[in-house]
């Protein structure tokens, strides 16, 4: 959790560096063990402790305490008491702040250390140590002359103060002030995240520049914990960790780092008078302040708070770019088109006939024949119009809150401006989310006010009542339950449009005027095969691979996932009745679950038409190489590397949905727009069950068989 | 000035009405081209008589019929009724549009397979299916529609022998208030045989009861009859679900939808009498949706409409051979096509149009075919403009049944030509030749030589 990371290599490096001052390191370790044991005894759950949110302040406390105080019985007693105090404060702060979506950062460590430092002044049993002045002694004990020589050598290297200060500042996070530790930690940061490294350099440079402008700071000051480190941490936290890294987030560092700078000077000098080091307090205040401020915005804007924390700026960014569409289901209710078959949008949003002003975000639908006419000859009666009398469906589950059902149909060309909306129904889907369907036929309602309707249920028939010169269906989404409320812009979750000879699949779009729309007809068999319920167990076998058992589970956040019992890999997925897609993969990559993740990354559960579904993999699931490193560095600004995915269910006229069915998919690597096919896959479904999948790359072929 | 066309003298009834400045008028219009291809060119190229099929009309009719159902009911499947017109090119237009195949004999079954229809998209109907045909259908996972108990027992037996579980449906006949009642096919609903058959199938455990089928008649003029049929079929499906725990996956409402042809003896013209496909769709869809199936358990609605989808797309082009005056003074015109090609002339009063300009004079006449046989009457009384020898005539709406029920009697069958959507013509069935007809004949040695 230090440095925001969950990277194991980085963690090892941190451990290594902290033992450059073995005593200090041991204090950190001891403190955290005490805290964890106490937490277990108190009944804290494994889940609460596993991610280290509650304990990393304890580690910092241990390290800080070890650095500052002389060893002795009083020291040990205070260390134990202090560690527990830190843990308690941590628990309390996390509870208070997390509720508001804010991190507690290292506040607990700062508070408890400050308390102990002030208190220790009146305790004669414990005194400040000079050990850190003579830390070579410890180093000698650890690694002999060679290590000392190495580190002193580095100190004498002819590197500019600016760079040396940078490394010292990094090492100061672990209460050290030497370039060697700094370099190792910097490498660790680089392995953990290129963006974070870039941000550290940015934050440090901005602080130096700002200090230079103010004329009050010199570079030597930067090297202390309470100086340079704060700015680097602020830059990482706000530039790429709690906020999705982007050009905007980088630009805002130019504001947030100087704010932290201000804190360092002001709060620092106040606390200095009490003899309390400020540690990372400026960082904590700045970050919490900034994040709280951002949460108060009415519109999320383009500076996006990280929706799901993956503890790496890269993963956060790639998952975010990749998941913009995937977050749609979280932001929008899943609405479907309110009719059967193919209809055309005769008037779209802000149309030039009647969709004006506050009532502009509405859609009118009609049925057309091959000659683009809405009626058959002679067209002088509502009955001649293709859409007349057609069933109207509920766009989503909901409660019928209003029905108007007494208005006669107009003659063709007529217009009833008195009862503008004609016979209408308003359905409530959620708080502040209502849909209204209008110009319906009198006495055609199949439901009553107060009824609960299911998505796709027939609720009425199209008529020609109200302001309707010819039969059509009016649809709008509104925030209020009244007929006549103003409209709001809202997309349909999934639908297809017919363009020339192609059927195009749309997700969370608002249909355009003139487009021909149809709902997605799901294939029962595909739907059944991908309807993985918690507890579902799948055995997967392939040559050259160990047999795997995948169990379907649900997390506390209600995410469904496959858990591979052998490799412990986890693949998160969503199946919403129309589409199946994976949202994340965690764990080892060289196994069958990962290959299945690649093969069935996104599948439209319909075989009615030949529909190509495209998506991109988050780059973070792919292994490191030079190009990827470069991409990571540039990722907040420009993406040139894509791992594209395409899938297509074989068009099948088998409307009874029996027998077998298959879909193919491929992965294409795109580098600066140049595409290269990486692999193809085929997944077969038999009798409503996942049967097998095959993956073909240039090097190998994997044929996996799935059994229950 | 263009030379005026000769028309033979005609006899007209004295019309004692008020005079008007427009003179006598005729509702006839010359039909000089089909889908942009001149009739004259077609006859020059492919001879006379010749059947013409419009691909554009087929596709448009199909799409609008499908639209009528799909905008009313979520799960609809059409199955092309092979017996209506089984020229392979015609079948494949329907298959391209997404239609399955509906066959009523082993011959048609193999034809569908030959066209590339996957076995599991063939519906095998009809009272006669041989054991070999049933075995083929079982292996292909086709939908076998059982017509009688003998077949049911045979299938149970075959299923056991082959160790397969064939997908079957039963054909049900019922009283839907129309006459005549088609009770010769399938199991009767009212006397309980249909329910008995369903019970036997489920109890046997050897067959998968997948659907229910009915076909209440042909050229149906009432939408109500379909609503009644749906109701009765759905009752069976509902009982199967609730009492036998068997989910019926589809209801096959058969065909029987009328085309816009005038029935013989009908008082009113077809356009005023027959309900549109939309009205049938409305009646059928509403009836199923009313039953109360859950949204995800709604049965697939299968339609085997033939006539309504193909009749309009077929034309027969012919030529006048001669005119004569009959003993009672009526005019008679002899065409080069007769009931040998236009089998439907027994049912319909086909609409005919001259293919070239004519004057406003018309006369009641009899249209005869070329056969030396008294039955060969195409229209016993038709009011037509006057035609000369060599003039061409277009017969409309002949796409259904004629190209399957035509007779090789006295004359041979002519060319069948398809006009695609771009106006290109294709010969899709060649005119028969003497060699073709005699191909199957065998001559005993002692009859080989004759001496006259």
């Amino acid at each position: 959790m230090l440095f925001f990371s969950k990277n194991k290599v980085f963690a090892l490096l941190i451990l290594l560096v902290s033992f450059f001052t073995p005593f200090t390191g041991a204090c950190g370790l001891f403190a955290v063990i005490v805290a964890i044991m106490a937490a277990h005894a108190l009944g804290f759950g494994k889940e609460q402790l596993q991610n280290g949110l509650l304990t990393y302040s304890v580690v910092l406390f241990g390290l800080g305490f070890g650095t500052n105080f002389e060893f002795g019985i009083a020291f040990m007693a205070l260390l134990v008491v202090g560690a527990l105090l830190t843990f308690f404060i941590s628990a309390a702060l996390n509870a208070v702040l997390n509720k508001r979506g804010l991190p507690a950062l290292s506040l607990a460590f700062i508070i408890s250390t400050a308390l102990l430092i002030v208190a220790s002044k009146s305790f004669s049993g414990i005194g400040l140590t000079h050990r850190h002045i003579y830390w070579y002694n410890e180093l000698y004990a650890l690694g002999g002359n060679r290590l000392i020589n190495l580190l002193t050598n580095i100190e004498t290297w002819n590197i500019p103060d600016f760079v040396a200060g940078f490394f010292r500042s990094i090492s100061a996070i672990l209460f050290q002030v030497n370039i060697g530790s700094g370099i190792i930690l910097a490498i660790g940061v680089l392995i953990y995240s290129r963006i974070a490294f870039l941000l550290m350099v940015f934050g440090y440079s901005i602080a130096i520049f700002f200090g230079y402008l103010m004329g009050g700071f010199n570079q030597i000051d930067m090297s202390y914990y309470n100086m340079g480190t704060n700015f680097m941490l602020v830059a990482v936290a706000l530039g790429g960790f709690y906020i999705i890294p982007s050009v905007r987030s980088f630009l805002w560092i130019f504001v947030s780092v100087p704010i932290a700078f201000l804190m360092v000077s002001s709060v620092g000098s106040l606390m200095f008078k009490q003899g309390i080091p400020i540690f990372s307090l400026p960082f904590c205040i700045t970050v919490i302040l900034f994040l709280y401020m951002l949460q108060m915005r009415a519109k999320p804007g383009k500076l996006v708070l990280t929706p799901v924390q993956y503890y790496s700026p890269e993963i956060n960014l790639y998952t975010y770019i990749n998941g913009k569409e995937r977050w749609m289901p979280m932001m929008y209710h899943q609405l479907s088109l309110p009719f059967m078959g193919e209809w055309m949008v005769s008037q779209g949003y802000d149309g030039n006939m009647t969709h004006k002003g506050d009532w502009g975000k509405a859609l009118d639908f009609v049925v057309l024949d091959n000659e683009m006419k809405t009626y058959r000859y002679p067209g002088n009666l509502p009955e001649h119009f293709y859409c007349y009398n057609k069933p109207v469906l509920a766009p989503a589950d909901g409660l019928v809150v209003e029905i108007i059902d007494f208005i006669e149909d107009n003659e063709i060309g007529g217009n009833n401006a008195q009862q503008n909306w004609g016979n209408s129904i308003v359905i409530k889907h959620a708080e502040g989310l209502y849909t209204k369907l209008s110009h319906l036929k009198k006495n055609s309602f199949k439901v009553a006010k107060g009824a609960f309707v299911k998505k796709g249920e027939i609720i009425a028939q199209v008529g020609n009542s109200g302001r309707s010169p010819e039969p059509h269906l009016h649809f709008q989404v509104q925030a209020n339950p009244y007929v006549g409320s103003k409209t709001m812009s809202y997309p349909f979750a999934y639908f297809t449009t017919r363009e020339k000879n192609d059927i195009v699949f749309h997700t969370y779009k608002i249909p355009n005027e003139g487009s021909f729309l149809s709902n997605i007809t799901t294939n029962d068999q595909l739907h059944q095969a991908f309807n993985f319920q918690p507890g579902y167990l799948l055995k997967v076998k392939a040559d050259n691979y160990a047999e795997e058992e995948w169990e379907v589970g649900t997390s506390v956040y209600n995410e469904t996932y496959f858990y591979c019992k052998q490799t412990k890999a986890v693949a998160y997925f969503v199946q919403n009745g129309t589409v199946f897609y994976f949202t994340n993969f965690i764990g080892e990559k060289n196994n069958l679950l990962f290959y299945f993740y690649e093969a069935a990354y996104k599948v439209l559960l319909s075989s009615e038409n030949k529909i190509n579904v495209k998506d991109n993999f988050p780059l973070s699931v792919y292994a490191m190489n030079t190009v990827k490193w470069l991409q990571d560095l540039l990722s907040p600004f420009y993406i040139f590397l894509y791992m594209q995915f395409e899938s297509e269910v074989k068009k099948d006229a088998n409307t009874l949905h029996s027998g077998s069915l298959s879909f193919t998919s491929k992965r294409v690597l795109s580098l600066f727009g140049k595409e290269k096919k990486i692999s193809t896959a085929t997944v077969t479904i038999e009798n409503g069950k996942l049967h097998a999948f095959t993956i073909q790359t240039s090097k190998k072929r994997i044929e996996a068989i799935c059994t229950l | 000035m263009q030379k005026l066309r000769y028309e033979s003298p005609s006899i007209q009834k004295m019309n004692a009405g008020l005079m008007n400045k427009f003179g006598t008028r005729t509702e006839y219009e010359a039909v000089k081209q089909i889908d942009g291809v001149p009739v004259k060119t077609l006859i020059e190229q492919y001879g006379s008589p010749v059947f013409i099929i419009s691909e554009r009309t087929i596709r448009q009719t199909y799409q609008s019929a499908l639209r009528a159902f799909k905008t009313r009911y979520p799960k609809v499947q059409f199955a092309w009724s092979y017996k209506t017109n089984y020229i392979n090119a015609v079948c494949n237009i329907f298959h391209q549009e997404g239609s399955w195949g509906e066959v009523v004999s082993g011959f048609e079954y193999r034809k569908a397979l030959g066209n590339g229809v996957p076995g599991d998209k063939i519906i095998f109907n009809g009272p006669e299916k041989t054991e070999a045909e049933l075995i083929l259908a079982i292996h292909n996972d086709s939908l076998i529609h059982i017509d009688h108990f003998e077949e049911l027992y045979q299938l149970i037996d075959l299923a056991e022998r082959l160790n397969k579980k064939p997908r079957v449906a039963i054909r049900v006949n019922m009283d839907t208030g129309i006459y005549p009642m088609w009770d010769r096919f399938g199991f009767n609903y009212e006397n309980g045989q249909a329910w008995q058959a369903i019970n036997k199938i489920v109890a046997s455990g050897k067959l998968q009861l997948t659907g229910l089928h009915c076909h209440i008649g042909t050229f149906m003029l009432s939408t109500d009859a379909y609503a009644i049929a749906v109701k009765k079929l759905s009752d069976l499906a509902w009982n199967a679900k609730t009492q036998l725990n068997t989910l019926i996956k589809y209801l096959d409402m058969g065909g029987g939808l009328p085309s816009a042809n005038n029935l013989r003896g009908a008082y009113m013209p077809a356009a005023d009498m027959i309900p549109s496909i939309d009205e049938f769709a409305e009646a059928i869809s509403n009836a199923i949706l009313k039953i109360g199936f859950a949204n995800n358990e709604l049965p697939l609605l299968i339609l085997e409409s033939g006539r309504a989808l193909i009749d309009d797309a077929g034309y027969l082009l012919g030529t006048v051979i001669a005119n004569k005056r009959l003993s009672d003074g009526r005019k008679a015109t002899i065409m080069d096509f007769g009931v040998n090609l236009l089998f439907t002339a027994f049912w319909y009063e086909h609409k005919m149009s001259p293919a070239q300009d004519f004057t406003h004079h018309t006369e009641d006449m009899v249209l005869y075919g070329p056969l030396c046989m008294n039955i060969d009457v195409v229209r016993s009384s038709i009011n037509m403009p006057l035609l000369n020898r060599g003039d061409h005539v277009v017969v409309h709406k002949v796409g259904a049944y004629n190209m399957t029920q035509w007779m090789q009697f006295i004359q041979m069958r002519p060319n069948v030509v398809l006009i695609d959507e771009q106006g290109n013509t294709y010969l899709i069935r060649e005119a028969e030749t003497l060699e073709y007809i005699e191909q199957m004949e065998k001559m005993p040695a002692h009859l080989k030589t004759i001496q006259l």
Side-chain angles (χ1 to χ4, degrees), chain A residues 201-214:
Chain A
V201 175
F202 246 70
Y204 179 74
S205 315
I206 292 168
I208 298 261
F209 179 68
F210 191 73
Y212 173 75
L213 271 185
M214 298 299 118

Side-chain angles (χ1 to χ4, degrees), chain B residues 389-438:
Chain B
R389 177 181 168 82
D391 281 355
H392 301 312
V393 169
V394 177
V395 189
H396 301 268
K397 303 182 197 303
V398 301
Y401 293 107
N402 286 308
M403 278 155 267
T404 48
Q405 297 195 38
W406 50 5
M407 294 179 276
Q408 187 277 303
F409 174 55
I410 301 179
Q411 302 277 1
M412 287 175 295
R413 296 159 178 133
N415 283 324
V416 181
V417 173
L418 177 80
I419 304 177
D420 74 5
E421 290 176 291
Q422 285 72 41
N424 305 314
T425 58
Y426 305 87
L427 185 62
I428 56 170
R429 190 178 194 276
E430 244 179 285
E432 290 169 344
T433 58
L434 181 61
E435 293 72 41
Y436 167 79
I437 304 289
E438 291 185 341

Side-chain angles (χ1 to χ4, degrees), chain A residues 340-341 343 367-371 376 389-391 455-458 461 608 652-656 658, chain B residues 60 63 67 70-75 77 100 120-121 143 167 249-250 276 278 282 289 295 300:
Chain A
M340 297 179 199
W343 293 53
V367 178
L368 291 192
D369 64 14
N370 292 30
E371 283 146 16
R376 63 169 184 272
N389 241 343
K390 293 280 162 78
K455 175 174 162 180
E457 190 177 326
I458 299 176
Q461 282 161 322
E608 194 184 24
D652 187 10
N654 187 351
T655 31
L656 276 176
S658 56
Chain B
Q60 285 188 357
Q63 285 162 11
R67 185 183 321 112
K70 280 208 158 176
T71 48
R72 291 181 168 93
Y73 192 77
K75 295 153 119 181
Q77 177 65 52
W100 293 359
D120 63 348
K121 293 173 190 86
L143 298 159
R167 294 190 297 162
K249 283 189 171 173
Y250 70 87
S276 67
D278 268 281
E282 179 92 25
L289 289 170
N295 234 354
L300 175 72

